[in-house]
Amino acid sequence: MICPEFKDKWSVQMHTRASIKADPSKGDKIVRRRGRLYVINKKDPNRKQRQKGPARKK
C-alpha cells in the first residue's frame, strides 16, 4: 500500500484506525506514545497501526 506523497516505493504507510488489533504470534507489540496507541512490528513493518487519539497541540 503506497501513498502518493511517498516517493520511495519501499516506504511504509501507517494504518490509522478507530480500534487497533495486535497479534502477538506475528510479532506485534502495543505501545502508548504521546497519548496514542500504536502497534509496531519489527519483523513485518507493513503491520504498523495507529489508533486515533487526542489532537496534537501546536
Side-chain angles (χ1 to χ4, degrees), residues 21-56:
K21 297 180 178 77
D23 187 1
S25 66
K26 294 183 181 177
D28 293 346
K29 293 181 183 178
I30 297 180
V31 184
R32 181 179 290 274
R33 295 178 183 164
R34 297 181 295 274
R36 294 184 177 182
L37 280 175
Y38 293 87
V39 172
I40 58 173
N41 189 326
K42 294 189 177 184
K43 295 179 186 175
D44 184 8
N46 289 323
R47 294 183 57 85
K48 289 192 296 189
Q49 298 175 43
R50 185 187 84 202
Q51 185 171 6
K52 292 183 180 179
R56 296 195 63 183

